[in-house]
Structures are given as C-alpha cells and as structure tokens.
Amino acid sequence: MISRVFSPVFARNANCAVRRYSAASSSAREKYLAELEHTRAHAKDATELWRKISLYVALPSVLLGVFNAKRLMDEHHEHEKHHPREWVAYAYLKLRNKPFPWTNGDQGLFYNPKVNLEPVD
C-alpha cells in the first residue's frame, strides 16, 4: 500500500534527476565522446605501429639469429671432424659409489653417445 503512494514520487524525482543530468552534461558528454574517439584512434595507431615492428624488425632479427646459429653450429661440427676431442681422465670424473638404475649403470640419465666422451681404457 505504501509503495503505491510513494512510487510516483520516487519516479518523478528520479525522472527529474535524469533530465537535469542529461541536459546539463551535453558538453561533458561531447568531451567524453571526443576523448573516447581519440583513445580509439591512438589504439589503432599503436596497434599498427607494433604490427609493423613485429613484422619488419622482430621477425627478421629472429631469422638472422637462426641463420647465424646454424652457421656457427656447422662450423663447429666441421671443426670437430678435423680435431676430435680426447678423453682426459681427471680424478673427479666417473666416480660411482653404486651403479645408476638405468641403462648399463655407468652412464648418466642424460647420456648422449654423440656428445659425451667415453673413457679410453
């Protein structure tokens, strides 16, 4: 019952507040929309800039790095063919208190026969 009496009053006051707010803030709204448009334009420009940086700077740099690493590795492998490494029996190498639980018990978990040298007995 009370809500029927007071609801028109609340609705009228809310309506006035909305009208006053929208009428008084047309310049504020225009400022907001102009700032929003400026922000969108800036975001579009920044996105285009970073797209160009990624395509024309970052990608070629990565490709140059890959080709350089490939060239250096090829030189290294070629050098190792002519000058193979030799096993040096230092006292601290190949110490085993008990065998490893994998493979033959003498090789580490990350043993690679192409890279790791074997002792010459």
Side-chain angles (χ1 to χ4, degrees), residues 51-63:
R51 186 185 73 81
K52 288 177 182 176
I53 289 173
S54 297
L55 290 176
Y56 302 123
V57 176
L59 187 62
S61 299
V62 169
L63 291 176

Side-chain angles (χ1 to χ4, degrees), residues 41-81:
H42 175 70
K44 182 180 178 182
D45 294 343
T47 301
E48 186 64 23
L49 172 72
W50 282 105
R51 186 185 73 81
K52 288 177 182 176
I53 289 173
S54 297
L55 290 176
Y56 302 123
V57 176
L59 187 62
S61 299
V62 169
L63 291 176
L64 284 173
V66 167
F67 290 132
N68 186 39
K70 173 77 169 112
R71 183 185 58 83
L72 289 174
M73 284 304 296
D74 290 343
E75 286 178 10
H76 176 68
H77 289 303
E78 198 61 37
H79 176 76
E80 279 193 339
K81 287 180 185 175

Side-chain angles (χ1 to χ4, degrees), residues 1 5 23 85 120:
M1 182 75 170
V5 173
R85 297 180 304 164
V120 179

